[in-house]
Amino acid sequence: MEHFIGIDVSKATLDLALMDASGQLLAMIQTENNAKGLARSWRRWSKEFGLVKDDCLVCLEPTAPISRKTSTPVYRNSPGSSATTPKNLRSITPWK
């Protein structure tokens, strides 16, 4: 994977963080919690950082019903996607 996107889901907004393969934080953005907000963020970062869906892992915390409207388009559009708890994510990342 060349890039990693972490998504913090809340009822009204999504906080997205983009990291490269070395763990360097490239960008952070907040958008509305819907498919349009995700698509807009993806287009922006694709242009700015050259994101390619096959080389990008997207991870979000499943937070019951409010994450469903986010996770559905993420899973549909990203071949590399995962839902996990922050504790599990910290244990599997190479960056501490």
Side-chain angles (χ1 to χ4, degrees):
M1 293 289 145
E2 294 293 321
H3 293 96
F4 301 87
I5 298 175
I7 304 174
D8 184 29
V9 180
S10 67
K11 193 171 193 175
T13 61
L14 302 171
D15 293 310
L16 295 92
L18 175 65
M19 297 174 74
D20 66 14
S22 71
Q24 179 180 350
L25 180 64
L26 301 175
M28 293 175 64
I29 193 170
Q30 186 177 74
T31 190
E32 61 273 9
N33 185 353
N34 59 40
K36 286 183 182 180
L38 279 171
R40 189 177 313 114
S41 300
W42 179 264
R43 283 191 306 271
R44 178 179 174 179
W45 285 352
S46 292
K47 289 177 185 174
E48 192 172 341
F49 299 103
L51 297 186
V52 177
K53 288 182 183 180
D54 291 340
D55 289 328
C56 191
L57 175 67
V58 180
C59 188
L60 61 102
E61 180 182 8
T63 50
I66 65 169
S67 67
R68 256 186 233 122
K69 65 182 175 182
T70 303
S71 60
T72 300
V74 166
Y75 297 144
R76 192 178 300 134
N77 294 306
S78 177
S81 57
S82 175
T84 189
T85 65
K87 181 180 178 183
N88 287 342
L89 188 58
R90 278 192 297 276
S91 71
I92 62 170
T93 59
W95 322 286
K96 302 294 180 197

